[in-house]
């Protein structure tokens, strides 16, 4: 229950790590690192979510069958017995709420698993609290001498993990244990007893990074580790919003090209514009909207739907945000699903900018209204209308079907939907220069303020009655 409210609609194993459920990562690890093609998934709470996603497993190159556990109170041992009682060969058990990054599961194939009735896995842990929340292991070489569930006093720094190799004889012994204690068998304690009997229990040391996903913080940590590991291979696209009249677009493109982290630059344009050729001559992608796509939000979604980069950065065709601030967004995006800029820091707003006075106060007021309306989500924002932001494409795809705004209120709606989906949003101060006259005339007005206000009211009303 510690993972609530994240698990109110999906099981823990279906929480996303960098764009895909952790259970999918485990299925792929079994397939790619352990050469496993037949997988049994024990399901109970919200089982339809898992079944509808994986189906028969053919999409993932494996065959999946489902084992229904209607007696969850019997614990982990009962789930494992249900799945393994007919197993005729050694099998691997992995828990759906454990995230492994850069691990050496492949080495389990050459480990002498046949020398024991079972093998547990361990990892050296610097944080003793992790061991106390899981189980500890005392070993002698590759032999497990003692396993202790949730120890109060630690003998070493070995953290017991949720990957096990179990031989067929293990399930016979587990079945006998349930015959003696039908209501519950503590799994780690059961394995501990087998350490004293022949052929004993083996112990395999795992390498890499491990996170047990049990709450909001551990979920965010798993996402951070996964994103950081592969960040150098991540593609980063910059999308510039244009009203189709910005004469200095070539200058803006040239400035943003200075940032070598950006893989590609695209400019979204209205159907009727005067700068398309200038953009194409700069060697960047011009996304020209169809004639019926006319409003700010419509155009932005039109372009976002056509981008394929892993991370998408939004900015404006006028050079309103300096290219070096992109680095700020990218540093924090490893820890968040979306990073938005805030233009409310006085020292970073260019003198004479339109983001002063009433405009600045209006943005702050709307941001504080979001905090008030959804105070349980613990979101902290101070600027609802800042274009400059970075988000993972997978995050955008998760919320895309709920983005219904057609006008400039889309930027605020993104913030609300990130928050409603319990994703992580981080806001950072950014430098802000004068925006284009075209943007100023169309969107820095009372109409935009009330569009955002109306959108917030509708979203909050929907939350209350759904």
């Amino acid at each position: 229950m510690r993972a609530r409210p994240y698990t109110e609609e999906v099981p823990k194993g279906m929480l996303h790590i960098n764009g895909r459920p952790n259970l999918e990562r485990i299925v792929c690890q079994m397939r790619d690192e352990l050469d496993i093609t037949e997988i049994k998934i024990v399901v109970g709470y919200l089982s339809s979510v898992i079944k509808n996603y994986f189906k028969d497993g053919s999409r993932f190159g494996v065959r999946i069958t489902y084992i229904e556990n209607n007696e969850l109170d019997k614990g982990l041992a009962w789930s494992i017995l249900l799945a393994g009682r007919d197993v005729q060969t050694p099998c691997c058990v992995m828990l759906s709420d454990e995230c492994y990054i850069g691990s050496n599961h492949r080495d389990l194939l050459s480990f002498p698993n046949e020398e024991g009735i079972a093998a547990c896995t361990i990892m050296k842990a610097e944080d003793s609290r992790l061991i106390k929340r899981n189980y500890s292991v005392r070993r002698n070489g590759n032999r497990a001498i003692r396993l202790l569930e949730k120890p109060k006093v630690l003998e070493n720094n070995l953290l017991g993990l949720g990957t096990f190799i179990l031989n067929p004889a293990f399930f016979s012994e587990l079945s006998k244990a349930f015959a003696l204690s039908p209501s519950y068998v503590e799994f780690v304690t059961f394995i501990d007893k087998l350490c004293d009997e022949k052929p004993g229990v083996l112990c395999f040391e795992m390498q890499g990074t491990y996170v047990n996903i049990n709450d909001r913080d551990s979920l965010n940590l798993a996402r951070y580790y996964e994103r950081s590991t592969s960040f150098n291979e991540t593609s980063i696209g910059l999308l510039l919003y244009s009203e189709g009249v910005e004469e200095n677009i070539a200058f803006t493109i040239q400035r943003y090209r200075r940032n070598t982290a950006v893989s590609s630059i695209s400019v979204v344009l209205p159907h009727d514009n005067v700068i398309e050729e200038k953009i194409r001559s700069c060697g960047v992608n011009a996304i020209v909207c169809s004639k019926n796509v006319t409003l700010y939000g419509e155009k932005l979604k039109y372009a976002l739907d056509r981008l394929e980069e892993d991370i998408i950065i939004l900015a404006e065709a006028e050079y309103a945000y300096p290219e070096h601030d992109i680095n700020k967004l990218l540093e924090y995006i490893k820890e968040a699903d979306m990073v938005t800029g805030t233009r409310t820091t006085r020292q970073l707003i260019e003198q004479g900018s339109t983001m002063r006075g009433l405009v600045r106060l209006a943005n702050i007021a709307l941001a504080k209204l979001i905090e008030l309306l959804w105070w349980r989500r613990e979101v902290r924002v101070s600027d609802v209308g800042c274009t400059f932001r970075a988000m993972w494409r997978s995050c955008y795809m998760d919320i895309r079907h709920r983005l219904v705004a057609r006008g400039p209120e889309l930027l605020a709606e993104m913030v609300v939907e990130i928050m409603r989906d319990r994703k992580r949003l981080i806001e950072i101060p950014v430098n802000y220069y004068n925006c284009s006259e075209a943007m100023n005339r169309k969107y820095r007005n009372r109409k935009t303020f009330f569009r955002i206000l109306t959108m917030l009211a509708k979203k909050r009303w929907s939350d209350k009655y759904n």
Side-chain angles (χ1 to χ4, degrees), residues 166-179:
L166 306 177
N167 287 314
F170 177 90
F171 297 100
S172 298
E173 296 300 318
L174 186 56
S175 182
K176 293 176 186 177
F178 270 104

Side-chain angles (χ1 to χ4, degrees), residues 155-385:
E155 296 183 9
N156 55 43
N157 66 339
L158 299 181
L159 166 67
L161 308 179
T163 295
F164 302 91
I165 303 297
L166 306 177
N167 287 314
F170 177 90
F171 297 100
S172 298
E173 296 300 318
L174 186 56
S175 182
K176 293 176 186 177
F178 270 104
L180 295 173
S181 177
S183 61
Y184 184 79
V185 173
E186 208 295 307
F187 187 66
V188 170
T189 303
F190 172 74
I191 297 179
D192 175 64
K193 292 177 180 178
L194 296 178
C195 293
D196 298 325
E197 303 174 7
K198 292 186 178 180
V201 177
L202 302 179
C203 183
F204 174 84
E205 184 171 345
M206 198 71 74
Q207 305 295 326
T209 302
Y210 162 86
V211 180
N212 189 345
I213 302 170
N214 272 318
D215 52 28
R216 178 193 64 184
D217 293 336
S218 58
L219 176 62
N220 287 331
L221 185 63
R223 289 170 174 169
Y224 170 73
Y225 284 141
E226 171 72 7
R227 290 164 175 170
S228 296
T229 300
S230 58
F231 199 76
N232 289 338
E233 288 77 48
T234 299
S235 58
I236 300 168
L238 174 66
L239 176 62
L240 302 177
Y241 176 85
S242 169
E243 286 294 324
V245 295
E246 293 84 356
E247 295 180 355
N248 292 325
I249 185 64
F251 168 78
T252 301
I253 292 171
Q254 182 267 330
R255 280 299 182 94
Y256 280 124
R257 271 186 170 150
R258 291 181 179 181
N259 195 308
T260 57
V262 175
S263 310
S264 65
I265 300 176
S266 301
V267 183
V268 57
L269 295 159
H271 182 271
D272 298 321
N273 67 85
V274 296
I275 59 173
E276 180 180 348
E277 290 305 315
K278 185 179 293 187
I279 290 169
R280 296 192 188 280
S281 68
C282 292
V284 302
N285 181 31
I287 302 175
V288 181
C289 297
S290 56
K291 204 158 190 174
N292 63 325
V293 177
T294 58
L295 299 180
Y296 181 94
E298 294 175 326
K299 289 183 281 187
L300 208 52
K301 287 185 287 186
Y302 184 92
L304 288 170
D305 291 345
R306 285 156 177 76
L307 297 182
E308 298 182 353
E309 287 79 9
D310 300 316
I311 296 173
I312 301 170
I313 298 171
L314 302 184
E316 297 172 4
E318 288 286 3
Y319 193 61
Y321 308 95
E323 56 85 16
H324 60 263
D325 272 2
I326 288 177
N327 298 329
K328 293 182 187 177
L329 300 179
L330 295 180
E331 189 58 39
Y332 281 95
I333 197 65
K334 299 172 188 176
E335 301 192 52
D337 298 293
M338 177 184 285
V339 181
T340 63
T342 174
R343 305 159 296 171
T344 57
T345 305
R346 292 180 183 272
Q347 294 86 346
L348 298 180
I349 301 175
E350 184 182 49
Q351 188 172 4
S353 167
T354 56
M355 192 55 196
R356 292 180 177 270
L358 288 177
V359 175
R360 177 175 174 272
L361 291 176
N363 271 277
I364 294 175
L366 289 169
K368 296 310 170 185
L369 180 60
I370 290 176
E371 291 183 3
L372 178 64
L373 292 176
W374 287 278
W375 65 274
R376 290 181 181 272
R377 302 299 171 90
E378 299 179 350
V379 66
R380 295 292 178 267
V381 289
S382 60
D383 185 357
V384 298

